[in-house]
Amino acid sequence: MKINVPLLALALGAFGIGVTEFSPMGMLTVIANDLAVSIPTAGMLISAYAFGVLLGAPLMTLLFANMSRRNLLLLSMGIFTVGNLISALADSYNLLLIGRIVTSFNHGAFFGVGSVVAMSVVPPEKRSGAVAAMFSGLTIATIGGVPLATYIGEVIGWRPAFFAMAVIGVVTMLALRLSLPPLANEGKADVRQELKLLSKGPVLAALLLTVVSSSSMFTVFTYIVPILQDETQASTAFVTSMLVLYGAGLTLGNVLGGRFADRSLAATLIVSLVAVTLLLALFSMVSASMWLVAPVIFFWGIASFALVPPLQSLVVQEAKEAPNLAASMNIGAFNLGNALGAVLGAAIIKAGLSLNYVPLAGAATALTGLVLWFMRSRQQRPEAATTVCC
């Protein structure tokens, strides 16, 4: 699919947010040591960000429902910039936590409204691909931005990494302002009606599937650096290379997920969930071997992010009368899964279990998502038959 200039601007914003969201996972040990907190406590910075997204996604979308979409995107990136400056200046764990929460409020509005904008500039049969094009910035961040931030954190310190993210925010605001049309909303948004639409069973089922699928990924990715350091006995260079390799897998998975979801959304979700389940189980078994863990991480990246475009498209389709709020809520659902995954991983570590149990927990969560999909499909078949019949 040919990528137009507005999609490139949205991808740039996604890149900045991706670096901010994922880089603390690579700097977890450095931050924990510098602020004198435990690894699970440092992991709560990730959970706090995710819960902030969950709250900020509907709040920002509803409060600014009648703002032009371009201005809402600019506002969200302004919040992003301020939050990263707070994090960069933080001299305590609590202030860093506040900075992460402030930053998180931009996330849902940007990706939610951005997804709707992306789908509006392409033909209907290319919508999943358009979402994938925007999310390519997020996956590219995992290839270049996150490993670079991890390296900066290890060599220079984690605060300069957050300063760099604030600079990305300023550049993104400029790119959005110059590249996007005003995108004014036509008519007034009916907030009550939009909230009512989100209470429909199919919409809630789709959001729950997003939560579970995302939780599977972040149960493991949140603690991937400690896993590689302790179980694989990996050096900093190897850990950084694995983050790059995982990011490459995410990028390929994003492209494949968008392409195949436009052909068959259901098949893409099923195959991806099965693959994630098997790969994470395998990860647990081969984590001691550098040679074996590398390809597993790459293919896990492909499978885990192939889920994103179809899940985002599914929620918007189920709540097509309220696309902005639905898309933002789905981003919140992704991040609720992020938070729950981080909490699940922390619980395993605090219980004194080996870090090898963390990928097994991620595999079990992905399997739960597969079960939920088949339950949803079974419930919809009678409804479809009734519609055809009557």
Side-chain angles (χ1 to χ4, degrees):
M1 182 178 65
K2 184 178 180 180
I3 299 178
N4 56 29
V5 175
L7 284 179
L8 286 174
L10 291 169
L12 178 61
F15 173 83
I17 294 175
V19 174
T20 293
E21 180 180 15
F22 295 139
S23 58
M25 300 172 189
M27 298 187 293
L28 210 59
T29 303
V30 174
I31 291 173
N33 291 337
D34 185 59
L35 298 179
V37 297
S38 67
I39 292 291
T41 299
M44 291 303 101
L45 293 169
I46 296 159
S47 295
Y49 182 95
F51 281 120
V53 175
L54 182 63
L55 177 62
L59 188 62
M60 289 281 292
T61 304
L62 292 174
L63 285 178
F64 302 101
N66 294 311
M67 179 181 285
S68 75
R69 289 172 178 170
R70 183 179 67 183
N71 287 344
L72 181 52
L73 291 172
L74 290 172
L75 174 63
S76 70
M77 291 309 299
I79 294 172
F80 167 92
T81 304
V82 171
N84 276 305
L85 283 174
I86 294 173
S87 298
L89 297 171
D91 58 359
S92 68
Y93 175 82
N94 288 336
L95 188 55
L96 178 57
L97 187 65
I98 291 172
R100 293 292 292 166
I101 293 172
V102 171
T103 307
S104 70
F105 270 69
N106 87 93
H107 191 121
F110 184 88
F111 279 112
V113 174
S115 294
V116 175
V117 171
M119 288 188 286
S120 70
V121 297
V122 297
E125 68 275 8
K126 295 291 186 180
R127 286 177 178 173
S128 291
V131 173
M134 186 190 73
F135 274 91
S136 66
L138 186 65
T139 58
I140 291 171
T142 63
I143 296 178
V146 174
L148 179 59
T150 301
Y151 180 79
I152 291 173
E154 291 279 353
V155 177
I156 304 176
W158 56 270
R159 291 179 181 86
F162 281 109
F163 270 119
M165 296 173 209
V167 172
I168 292 174
V170 173
V171 174
T172 300
M173 290 176 68
L174 181 62
L176 290 170
R177 181 63 180 83
L178 296 176
S179 302
L180 292 178
L183 301 170
N185 283 333
E186 297 180 0
K188 295 292 182 180
D190 188 340
V191 173
R192 182 176 298 179
Q193 181 64 18
E194 291 202 359
L195 289 173
K196 183 178 179 180
L197 287 168
L198 286 185
S199 67
K200 294 166 60 176
V203 179
L204 293 176
L207 290 171
L208 178 60
L209 184 61
T210 295
V211 171
V212 174
S213 301
S214 177
S215 180
S216 172
M217 174 182 174
F218 285 100
T219 296
V220 185
F221 189 49
T222 302
Y223 302 100
I224 190 169
V225 172
I227 291 172
L228 291 174
Q229 289 174 337
D230 294 351
E231 299 298 325
T232 316
Q233 298 294 305
S235 65
T236 298
F238 184 82
V239 171
T240 302
S241 67
M242 288 303 98
L243 292 176
V244 173
L245 188 63
Y246 184 69
L250 294 182
T251 302
L252 182 55
N254 181 57
V255 173
L256 294 176
R259 181 173 299 174
F260 286 112
D262 281 327
R263 299 178 184 178
S264 175
L265 189 148
T268 304
L269 286 173
I270 292 170
V271 171
S272 298
L273 285 169
V274 170
V276 170
T277 302
L278 296 176
L279 287 164
L280 287 180
L282 184 60
F283 189 1
S284 178
M285 292 184 283
V286 304
S287 61
S289 170
M290 292 185 184
W291 293 104
L292 295 177
V293 80
V296 171
I297 287 175
F298 176 67
F299 286 110
W300 168 47
I302 294 175
S304 60
F305 221 81
L307 290 165
V308 174
L311 285 172
Q312 186 76 347
S313 296
L314 176 65
V315 172
V316 173
Q317 289 173 18
E318 295 287 6
K320 54 183 177 293
E321 297 90 347
N324 291 329
L325 183 58
S328 296
M329 284 299 297
N330 198 48
I331 298 301
F334 273 116
N335 281 270
L336 176 58
N338 180 335
L340 294 177
V343 169
L344 177 58
I348 291 172
I349 296 171
K350 286 183 176 180
L353 297 174
S354 165
L355 285 169
N356 273 332
Y357 282 90
V358 175
L360 286 178
T365 308
L367 184 60
T368 301
L370 189 63
V371 171
L372 288 174
W373 172 260
F374 283 116
M375 289 175 61
R376 174 188 178 277
S377 300
R378 179 175 295 182
Q379 289 175 351
Q380 286 191 333
R381 285 194 194 105
E383 295 176 7
T386 302
T387 302
V388 172
C389 183
C390 304

